[in-house]
Amino acid sequence: YAQKANAAIAIVRAEFCYWTATLPLVLNTSSITRQEILNLLDQCGRVGIGAWSGIRSGHHGQFTIGKVEVVDPVTIQSALAA
């Protein structure tokens, strides 16, 4: 089946009004500080992620940093292995 040039294609995407994510990070603090990482993540949250994010003229996908906790790297490796 051939598609017509410039034909509109309907794309359906799910919308999550409230969402959370856990992002474990292992930092080399001799290269970048914890605060610098938090600042970068904060800026990313203002733009957003996904197809309807602010970078694509949308208003979805923005996030804020809710909770930050420092965990021993061995604990993280054990959790990821489970």
Short mmCIF file of all heavy atoms in Angstrom, two decimals, residues 10-76:
data_model
loop_
_atom_site.label_atom_id
_atom_site.label_comp_id
_atom_site.label_asym_id
_atom_site.label_seq_id
_atom_site.Cartn_x
_atom_site.Cartn_y
_atom_site.Cartn_z
N ALA A 10 -2.28 9.81 11.73
CA ALA A 10 -2.79 9.92 13.10
C ALA A 10 -1.85 9.17 14.05
O ALA A 10 -1.53 7.99 13.83
CB ALA A 10 -4.19 9.35 13.20
N ILE A 11 -1.39 9.85 15.07
CA ILE A 11 -0.52 9.24 16.07
C ILE A 11 -1.20 9.40 17.42
O ILE A 11 -1.55 10.52 17.81
CB ILE A 11 0.87 9.91 16.09
CG1 ILE A 11 1.55 9.74 14.74
CG2 ILE A 11 1.72 9.33 17.21
CD1 ILE A 11 2.86 10.46 14.62
N VAL A 12 -1.37 8.30 18.12
CA VAL A 12 -2.01 8.33 19.43
C VAL A 12 -0.95 8.03 20.48
O VAL A 12 -0.21 7.05 20.37
CB VAL A 12 -3.15 7.29 19.50
CG1 VAL A 12 -3.78 7.28 20.87
CG2 VAL A 12 -4.17 7.55 18.42
N ARG A 13 -0.87 8.89 21.48
CA ARG A 13 0.10 8.69 22.56
C ARG A 13 -0.63 8.74 23.90
O ARG A 13 -1.56 9.53 24.08
CB ARG A 13 1.17 9.76 22.52
CG ARG A 13 2.05 9.67 21.29
CD ARG A 13 3.21 10.64 21.39
NE ARG A 13 4.14 10.43 20.31
CZ ARG A 13 4.09 11.07 19.16
NH1 ARG A 13 3.16 11.96 18.93
NH2 ARG A 13 4.99 10.84 18.23
N ALA A 14 -0.17 7.94 24.81
CA ALA A 14 -0.76 7.94 26.15
C ALA A 14 -0.40 9.22 26.89
O ALA A 14 0.64 9.83 26.64
CB ALA A 14 -0.25 6.74 26.94
N GLU A 15 -1.27 9.64 27.80
CA GLU A 15 -1.01 10.82 28.63
C GLU A 15 -1.03 10.37 30.09
O GLU A 15 -1.98 9.77 30.55
CB GLU A 15 -2.07 11.88 28.40
CG GLU A 15 -1.88 13.11 29.26
CD GLU A 15 -2.93 14.18 29.02
OE1 GLU A 15 -3.83 13.96 28.19
OE2 GLU A 15 -2.84 15.23 29.66
N PHE A 16 0.05 10.65 30.79
CA PHE A 16 0.15 10.33 32.21
C PHE A 16 0.12 11.65 32.97
O PHE A 16 1.09 12.41 32.95
CB PHE A 16 1.45 9.58 32.51
CG PHE A 16 1.56 8.27 31.77
CD1 PHE A 16 2.24 8.20 30.57
CD2 PHE A 16 0.95 7.13 32.25
CE1 PHE A 16 2.35 7.01 29.87
CE2 PHE A 16 1.04 5.93 31.57
CZ PHE A 16 1.74 5.87 30.38
N CYS A 17 -1.00 11.93 33.63
CA CYS A 17 -1.14 13.22 34.33
C CYS A 17 -0.22 13.30 35.54
O CYS A 17 0.38 14.33 35.79
CB CYS A 17 -2.59 13.41 34.75
SG CYS A 17 -3.70 13.58 33.33
N TYR A 18 -0.11 12.23 36.27
CA TYR A 18 0.76 12.20 37.46
C TYR A 18 1.66 10.98 37.33
O TYR A 18 1.19 9.87 37.14
CB TYR A 18 -0.07 12.12 38.74
CG TYR A 18 -1.04 13.27 38.85
CD1 TYR A 18 -2.38 13.12 38.53
CD2 TYR A 18 -0.59 14.52 39.24
CE1 TYR A 18 -3.26 14.19 38.61
CE2 TYR A 18 -1.47 15.60 39.32
CZ TYR A 18 -2.79 15.42 39.00
OH TYR A 18 -3.66 16.48 39.08
N TRP A 19 2.96 11.21 37.41
CA TRP A 19 3.89 10.11 37.27
C TRP A 19 5.11 10.35 38.15
O TRP A 19 5.40 11.48 38.54
CB TRP A 19 4.30 9.90 35.81
CG TRP A 19 4.94 11.09 35.16
CD1 TRP A 19 4.31 12.15 34.60
CD2 TRP A 19 6.34 11.34 35.01
NE1 TRP A 19 5.22 13.04 34.10
CE2 TRP A 19 6.48 12.57 34.34
CE3 TRP A 19 7.49 10.64 35.37
CZ2 TRP A 19 7.71 13.12 34.03
CZ3 TRP A 19 8.71 11.19 35.06
CH2 TRP A 19 8.82 12.41 34.39
N THR A 20 5.78 9.29 38.48
CA THR A 20 7.03 9.38 39.25
C THR A 20 8.04 8.43 38.62
O THR A 20 7.68 7.51 37.89
CB THR A 20 6.84 8.99 40.73
OG1 THR A 20 6.43 7.62 40.80
CG2 THR A 20 5.81 9.86 41.41
N ALA A 21 9.28 8.67 38.93
CA ALA A 21 10.35 7.79 38.46
C ALA A 21 11.46 7.81 39.51
O ALA A 21 11.67 8.81 40.19
CB ALA A 21 10.90 8.26 37.12
N THR A 22 12.13 6.71 39.63
CA THR A 22 13.30 6.60 40.49
C THR A 22 14.51 6.47 39.59
O THR A 22 14.53 5.63 38.68
CB THR A 22 13.19 5.38 41.42
OG1 THR A 22 12.02 5.52 42.21
CG2 THR A 22 14.41 5.27 42.32
N LEU A 23 15.50 7.32 39.81
CA LEU A 23 16.68 7.35 38.95
C LEU A 23 17.93 7.16 39.80
O LEU A 23 18.43 8.11 40.39
CB LEU A 23 16.73 8.69 38.21
CG LEU A 23 17.89 8.90 37.26
CD1 LEU A 23 17.81 7.93 36.09
CD2 LEU A 23 17.88 10.33 36.76
N PRO A 24 18.43 5.93 39.88
CA PRO A 24 19.68 5.74 40.63
C PRO A 24 20.87 6.23 39.82
O PRO A 24 20.99 5.92 38.63
CB PRO A 24 19.75 4.24 40.87
CG PRO A 24 18.86 3.63 39.85
CD PRO A 24 17.88 4.68 39.41
N LEU A 25 21.73 7.02 40.41
CA LEU A 25 22.92 7.54 39.75
C LEU A 25 24.15 7.22 40.59
O LEU A 25 24.11 7.30 41.80
CB LEU A 25 22.85 9.06 39.60
CG LEU A 25 21.72 9.63 38.75
CD1 LEU A 25 21.72 11.15 38.87
CD2 LEU A 25 21.89 9.22 37.31
N VAL A 26 25.22 6.88 39.93
CA VAL A 26 26.51 6.73 40.58
C VAL A 26 27.38 7.85 40.04
O VAL A 26 27.59 7.95 38.83
CB VAL A 26 27.14 5.35 40.30
CG1 VAL A 26 28.50 5.24 40.96
CG2 VAL A 26 26.23 4.23 40.78
N LEU A 27 27.85 8.71 40.93
CA LEU A 27 28.60 9.89 40.51
C LEU A 27 30.08 9.76 40.78
O LEU A 27 30.48 9.22 41.81
CB LEU A 27 28.10 11.13 41.26
CG LEU A 27 26.62 11.46 41.17
CD1 LEU A 27 26.33 12.69 42.02
CD2 LEU A 27 26.23 11.70 39.74
N ASN A 28 30.87 10.29 39.88
CA ASN A 28 32.29 10.46 40.11
C ASN A 28 32.45 11.92 40.53
O ASN A 28 32.55 12.82 39.70
CB ASN A 28 33.08 10.16 38.83
CG ASN A 28 34.56 10.38 39.00
OD1 ASN A 28 35.02 10.89 40.02
ND2 ASN A 28 35.33 9.99 38.01
N THR A 29 32.45 12.16 41.83
CA THR A 29 32.44 13.54 42.34
C THR A 29 33.75 14.27 42.12
O THR A 29 33.84 15.46 42.41
CB THR A 29 32.06 13.57 43.82
OG1 THR A 29 32.93 12.70 44.55
CG2 THR A 29 30.62 13.13 44.02
N SER A 30 34.74 13.60 41.57
CA SER A 30 35.96 14.33 41.21
C SER A 30 35.78 15.03 39.86
O SER A 30 36.54 15.92 39.51
CB SER A 30 37.17 13.39 41.16
OG SER A 30 37.02 12.44 40.14
N SER A 31 34.73 14.64 39.10
CA SER A 31 34.46 15.25 37.79
C SER A 31 33.30 16.23 37.83
O SER A 31 33.32 17.24 37.13
CB SER A 31 34.12 14.16 36.77
OG SER A 31 35.19 13.28 36.62
N ILE A 32 32.28 15.93 38.60
CA ILE A 32 31.08 16.76 38.67
C ILE A 32 30.49 16.64 40.07
O ILE A 32 30.50 15.56 40.66
CB ILE A 32 30.07 16.36 37.58
CG1 ILE A 32 28.93 17.37 37.48
CG2 ILE A 32 29.55 14.95 37.78
CD1 ILE A 32 28.08 17.22 36.24
N THR A 33 30.01 17.74 40.59
CA THR A 33 29.48 17.71 41.96
C THR A 33 28.03 17.25 41.97
O THR A 33 27.33 17.29 40.95
CB THR A 33 29.56 19.10 42.62
OG1 THR A 33 28.65 19.98 41.95
CG2 THR A 33 30.97 19.67 42.57
N ARG A 34 27.60 16.84 43.13
CA ARG A 34 26.22 16.44 43.33
C ARG A 34 25.28 17.60 42.99
O ARG A 34 24.25 17.42 42.34
CB ARG A 34 26.03 16.00 44.79
CG ARG A 34 24.67 15.54 45.13
CD ARG A 34 24.69 14.98 46.57
NE ARG A 34 23.36 14.71 47.01
CZ ARG A 34 22.74 15.40 47.96
NH1 ARG A 34 23.34 16.38 48.58
NH2 ARG A 34 21.52 15.09 48.30
N GLN A 35 25.63 18.81 43.40
CA GLN A 35 24.79 19.98 43.13
C GLN A 35 24.71 20.28 41.64
O GLN A 35 23.66 20.66 41.13
CB GLN A 35 25.30 21.20 43.89
CG GLN A 35 24.35 22.38 43.84
CD GLN A 35 22.96 22.04 44.39
OE1 GLN A 35 22.83 21.49 45.48
NE2 GLN A 35 21.93 22.35 43.63
N GLU A 36 25.80 20.09 40.91
CA GLU A 36 25.77 20.30 39.46
C GLU A 36 24.82 19.32 38.78
O GLU A 36 24.07 19.70 37.87
CB GLU A 36 27.18 20.19 38.87
CG GLU A 36 28.08 21.35 39.24
CD GLU A 36 29.53 21.13 38.85
OE1 GLU A 36 30.02 19.98 38.92
OE2 GLU A 36 30.17 22.12 38.47
N ILE A 37 24.83 18.07 39.22
CA ILE A 37 23.90 17.07 38.68
C ILE A 37 22.46 17.47 38.97
O ILE A 37 21.59 17.41 38.11
CB ILE A 37 24.20 15.67 39.24
CG1 ILE A 37 25.50 15.13 38.67
CG2 ILE A 37 23.05 14.70 38.98
CD1 ILE A 37 25.43 14.76 37.21
N LEU A 38 22.20 17.90 40.21
CA LEU A 38 20.85 18.33 40.57
C LEU A 38 20.41 19.52 39.74
O LEU A 38 19.25 19.59 39.30
CB LEU A 38 20.77 18.65 42.06
CG LEU A 38 20.92 17.45 43.00
CD1 LEU A 38 20.97 17.91 44.45
CD2 LEU A 38 19.80 16.46 42.79
N ASN A 39 21.31 20.46 39.49
CA ASN A 39 20.99 21.61 38.65
C ASN A 39 20.66 21.19 37.22
O ASN A 39 19.71 21.70 36.61
CB ASN A 39 22.13 22.62 38.64
CG ASN A 39 22.31 23.32 39.97
OD1 ASN A 39 21.42 23.33 40.81
ND2 ASN A 39 23.48 23.90 40.17
N LEU A 40 21.43 20.25 36.67
CA LEU A 40 21.17 19.74 35.32
C LEU A 40 19.81 19.05 35.25
O LEU A 40 19.02 19.28 34.32
CB LEU A 40 22.26 18.77 34.89
CG LEU A 40 23.61 19.39 34.54
CD1 LEU A 40 24.66 18.30 34.37
CD2 LEU A 40 23.50 20.22 33.28
N LEU A 41 19.51 18.21 36.23
CA LEU A 41 18.22 17.52 36.26
C LEU A 41 17.06 18.51 36.41
O LEU A 41 16.01 18.34 35.80
CB LEU A 41 18.19 16.49 37.38
CG LEU A 41 19.06 15.26 37.16
CD1 LEU A 41 19.11 14.39 38.41
CD2 LEU A 41 18.56 14.46 35.97
N ASP A 42 17.28 19.56 37.20
CA ASP A 42 16.25 20.58 37.37
C ASP A 42 15.96 21.28 36.04
O ASP A 42 14.80 21.48 35.67
CB ASP A 42 16.69 21.60 38.43
CG ASP A 42 15.63 22.65 38.67
OD1 ASP A 42 14.51 22.27 39.07
OD2 ASP A 42 15.93 23.84 38.48
N GLN A 43 17.01 21.61 35.29
CA GLN A 43 16.83 22.24 33.98
C GLN A 43 16.14 21.29 33.00
O GLN A 43 15.26 21.71 32.23
CB GLN A 43 18.18 22.70 33.41
CG GLN A 43 18.78 23.87 34.13
CD GLN A 43 17.89 25.10 34.07
OE1 GLN A 43 17.37 25.47 33.02
NE2 GLN A 43 17.68 25.73 35.21
N CYS A 44 16.51 20.03 33.04
CA CYS A 44 15.85 19.03 32.18
C CYS A 44 14.37 18.94 32.50
O CYS A 44 13.53 18.83 31.60
CB CYS A 44 16.49 17.66 32.36
SG CYS A 44 18.16 17.55 31.72
N GLY A 45 14.03 19.00 33.77
CA GLY A 45 12.64 18.92 34.19
C GLY A 45 11.81 20.09 33.72
O GLY A 45 10.61 19.97 33.46
N ARG A 46 12.44 21.25 33.59
CA ARG A 46 11.71 22.43 33.11
C ARG A 46 11.36 22.30 31.63
O ARG A 46 10.34 22.79 31.17
CB ARG A 46 12.54 23.69 33.33
CG ARG A 46 12.69 24.02 34.80
CD ARG A 46 13.71 25.13 34.98
NE ARG A 46 14.15 25.20 36.34
CZ ARG A 46 13.87 26.22 37.14
NH1 ARG A 46 13.18 27.23 36.69
NH2 ARG A 46 14.30 26.21 38.38
N VAL A 47 12.23 21.63 30.86
CA VAL A 47 11.97 21.40 29.44
C VAL A 47 11.03 20.21 29.27
O VAL A 47 10.05 20.27 28.55
CB VAL A 47 13.29 21.16 28.67
CG1 VAL A 47 13.01 20.74 27.24
CG2 VAL A 47 14.16 22.39 28.73
N GLY A 48 11.34 19.13 29.93
CA GLY A 48 10.49 17.94 29.89
C GLY A 48 11.06 16.85 29.00
O GLY A 48 12.05 17.03 28.31
N ILE A 49 10.40 15.70 29.06
CA ILE A 49 10.79 14.54 28.26
C ILE A 49 9.57 14.05 27.48
O ILE A 49 8.44 14.28 27.86
CB ILE A 49 11.35 13.41 29.15
CG1 ILE A 49 10.33 12.98 30.21
CG2 ILE A 49 12.65 13.81 29.79
CD1 ILE A 49 10.75 11.80 31.04
N GLY A 50 9.81 13.39 26.38
CA GLY A 50 8.73 12.81 25.60
C GLY A 50 8.33 13.64 24.39
O GLY A 50 8.84 14.73 24.15
N ALA A 51 7.37 13.11 23.65
CA ALA A 51 6.96 13.70 22.38
C ALA A 51 6.23 15.03 22.54
O ALA A 51 6.23 15.83 21.62
CB ALA A 51 6.07 12.71 21.61
N TRP A 52 5.59 15.27 23.67
CA TRP A 52 4.85 16.52 23.86
C TRP A 52 5.56 17.43 24.84
O TRP A 52 4.95 18.25 25.52
CB TRP A 52 3.45 16.24 24.36
CG TRP A 52 2.55 15.59 23.36
CD1 TRP A 52 2.69 15.58 22.01
CD2 TRP A 52 1.35 14.88 23.65
NE1 TRP A 52 1.66 14.89 21.43
CE2 TRP A 52 0.82 14.44 22.42
CE3 TRP A 52 0.68 14.54 24.81
CZ2 TRP A 52 -0.35 13.70 22.33
CZ3 TRP A 52 -0.48 13.81 24.72
CH2 TRP A 52 -0.98 13.40 23.49
N SER A 53 6.86 17.32 24.93
CA SER A 53 7.62 18.13 25.88
C SER A 53 7.76 19.57 25.40
O SER A 53 7.42 19.89 24.26
CB SER A 53 9.01 17.53 26.09
OG SER A 53 9.77 17.64 24.90
N GLY A 54 8.25 20.42 26.28
CA GLY A 54 8.43 21.83 25.95
C GLY A 54 9.35 22.06 24.78
O GLY A 54 9.18 23.03 24.04
N ILE A 55 10.31 21.19 24.58
CA ILE A 55 11.24 21.37 23.46
C ILE A 55 10.55 21.15 22.11
O ILE A 55 11.01 21.60 21.08
CB ILE A 55 12.47 20.44 23.62
CG1 ILE A 55 13.62 20.96 22.79
CG2 ILE A 55 12.14 19.01 23.27
CD1 ILE A 55 14.96 20.41 23.17
N ARG A 56 9.38 20.49 22.17
CA ARG A 56 8.60 20.26 20.95
C ARG A 56 7.31 21.07 20.98
O ARG A 56 6.28 20.64 20.47
CB ARG A 56 8.31 18.77 20.81
CG ARG A 56 9.56 17.94 20.59
CD ARG A 56 9.19 16.50 20.29
NE ARG A 56 10.35 15.76 19.89
CZ ARG A 56 11.11 15.05 20.71
NH1 ARG A 56 10.84 15.01 22.00
NH2 ARG A 56 12.15 14.39 20.27
N SER A 57 7.36 22.22 21.61
CA SER A 57 6.22 23.14 21.71
C SER A 57 5.04 22.55 22.46
O SER A 57 3.90 22.98 22.27
CB SER A 57 5.77 23.61 20.32
OG SER A 57 6.83 24.24 19.66
N GLY A 58 5.29 21.56 23.29
CA GLY A 58 4.22 20.98 24.10
C GLY A 58 4.27 21.48 25.53
O GLY A 58 5.06 22.36 25.87
N HIS A 59 3.44 20.91 26.35
CA HIS A 59 3.44 21.29 27.76
C HIS A 59 3.34 20.06 28.66
O HIS A 59 2.86 20.13 29.77
CB HIS A 59 2.30 22.28 28.04
CG HIS A 59 0.93 21.72 27.74
ND1 HIS A 59 0.41 21.75 26.47
CD2 HIS A 59 0.01 21.14 28.53
CE1 HIS A 59 -0.79 21.19 26.50
NE2 HIS A 59 -1.05 20.81 27.73
N HIS A 60 3.80 18.93 28.17
CA HIS A 60 3.80 17.70 28.96
C HIS A 60 5.24 17.27 29.23
O HIS A 60 6.17 17.77 28.61
CB HIS A 60 3.07 16.59 28.21
CG HIS A 60 1.62 16.85 28.02
ND1 HIS A 60 0.70 16.69 29.02
CD2 HIS A 60 0.93 17.29 26.94
CE1 HIS A 60 -0.50 17.01 28.57
NE2 HIS A 60 -0.38 17.39 27.30
N GLY A 61 5.40 16.33 30.14
CA GLY A 61 6.70 15.74 30.38
C GLY A 61 7.59 16.48 31.36
O GLY A 61 8.68 16.04 31.66
N GLN A 62 7.12 17.64 31.86
CA GLN A 62 7.95 18.34 32.83
C GLN A 62 7.96 17.58 34.15
O GLN A 62 7.03 16.85 34.47
CB GLN A 62 7.42 19.77 33.07
CG GLN A 62 7.67 20.70 31.94
CD GLN A 62 6.49 20.83 31.00
OE1 GLN A 62 5.45 20.26 31.22
NE2 GLN A 62 6.67 21.58 29.93
N PHE A 63 9.03 17.76 34.90
CA PHE A 63 9.13 17.10 36.20
C PHE A 63 9.92 17.96 37.16
O PHE A 63 10.62 18.89 36.76
CB PHE A 63 9.77 15.72 36.06
CG PHE A 63 11.17 15.73 35.52
CD1 PHE A 63 12.27 15.85 36.36
CD2 PHE A 63 11.40 15.63 34.15
CE1 PHE A 63 13.56 15.86 35.86
CE2 PHE A 63 12.69 15.63 33.64
CZ PHE A 63 13.76 15.75 34.49
N THR A 64 9.77 17.64 38.44
CA THR A 64 10.56 18.27 39.50
C THR A 64 11.26 17.17 40.28
O THR A 64 10.82 16.02 40.28
CB THR A 64 9.69 19.10 40.46
OG1 THR A 64 8.69 18.25 41.03
CG2 THR A 64 9.01 20.26 39.73
N ILE A 65 12.32 17.54 40.93
CA ILE A 65 13.05 16.59 41.76
C ILE A 65 12.37 16.55 43.12
O ILE A 65 12.28 17.57 43.80
CB ILE A 65 14.53 17.00 41.91
CG1 ILE A 65 15.18 17.05 40.53
CG2 ILE A 65 15.27 16.05 42.84
CD1 ILE A 65 16.55 17.67 40.52
N GLY A 66 11.86 15.39 43.48
CA GLY A 66 11.11 15.28 44.72
C GLY A 66 11.97 14.91 45.91
O GLY A 66 11.96 15.58 46.93
N LYS A 67 12.74 13.87 45.80
CA LYS A 67 13.50 13.36 46.93
C LYS A 67 14.88 12.95 46.44
O LYS A 67 15.01 12.29 45.42
CB LYS A 67 12.78 12.15 47.53
CG LYS A 67 13.49 11.48 48.67
CD LYS A 67 12.69 10.27 49.16
CE LYS A 67 13.44 9.53 50.23
NZ LYS A 67 12.75 8.29 50.62
N VAL A 68 15.89 13.35 47.18
CA VAL A 68 17.26 12.98 46.86
C VAL A 68 17.83 12.30 48.09
O VAL A 68 17.74 12.83 49.20
CB VAL A 68 18.12 14.21 46.50
CG1 VAL A 68 19.57 13.80 46.27
CG2 VAL A 68 17.56 14.92 45.29
N GLU A 69 18.37 11.12 47.89
CA GLU A 69 19.01 10.45 49.01
C GLU A 69 20.34 9.86 48.56
O GLU A 69 20.46 9.39 47.44
CB GLU A 69 18.12 9.39 49.64
CG GLU A 69 17.77 8.23 48.76
CD GLU A 69 16.88 7.22 49.47
OE1 GLU A 69 17.38 6.49 50.34
OE2 GLU A 69 15.69 7.19 49.14
N VAL A 70 21.31 9.94 49.43
CA VAL A 70 22.63 9.39 49.16
C VAL A 70 22.64 7.96 49.69
O VAL A 70 22.31 7.71 50.84
CB VAL A 70 23.73 10.23 49.84
CG1 VAL A 70 25.09 9.61 49.59
CG2 VAL A 70 23.69 11.66 49.33
N VAL A 71 23.00 7.03 48.79
CA VAL A 71 23.01 5.62 49.13
C VAL A 71 24.39 5.06 48.83
O VAL A 71 25.02 5.46 47.84
CB VAL A 71 21.94 4.85 48.32
CG1 VAL A 71 21.92 3.39 48.66
CG2 VAL A 71 20.57 5.46 48.53
N ASP A 72 24.83 4.16 49.64
CA ASP A 72 26.12 3.50 49.42
C ASP A 72 26.10 2.79 48.07
O ASP A 72 25.14 2.09 47.75
CB ASP A 72 26.35 2.49 50.56
CG ASP A 72 27.63 1.72 50.38
OD1 ASP A 72 28.69 2.36 50.18
OD2 ASP A 72 27.57 0.47 50.42
N PRO A 73 27.13 2.96 47.23
CA PRO A 73 27.15 2.32 45.90
C PRO A 73 26.96 0.82 45.94
O PRO A 73 26.35 0.25 45.03
CB PRO A 73 28.53 2.68 45.34
CG PRO A 73 28.93 3.91 46.07
CD PRO A 73 28.30 3.79 47.43
N VAL A 74 27.41 0.15 46.97
CA VAL A 74 27.24 -1.30 47.07
C VAL A 74 25.75 -1.63 47.20
O VAL A 74 25.26 -2.59 46.61
CB VAL A 74 28.04 -1.87 48.26
CG1 VAL A 74 27.76 -3.34 48.45
CG2 VAL A 74 29.52 -1.62 48.05
N THR A 75 25.01 -0.80 47.92
CA THR A 75 23.58 -1.00 48.08
C THR A 75 22.87 -0.87 46.73
O THR A 75 21.97 -1.64 46.41
CB THR A 75 22.98 0.02 49.08
OG1 THR A 75 23.72 -0.09 50.31
CG2 THR A 75 21.52 -0.21 49.32
N ILE A 76 23.28 0.10 45.93
CA ILE A 76 22.69 0.30 44.60
C ILE A 76 22.97 -0.90 43.71
O ILE A 76 22.09 -1.41 43.04
CB ILE A 76 23.21 1.60 43.95
CG1 ILE A 76 22.72 2.81 44.74
CG2 ILE A 76 22.78 1.70 42.50
CD1 ILE A 76 23.31 4.11 44.28
#
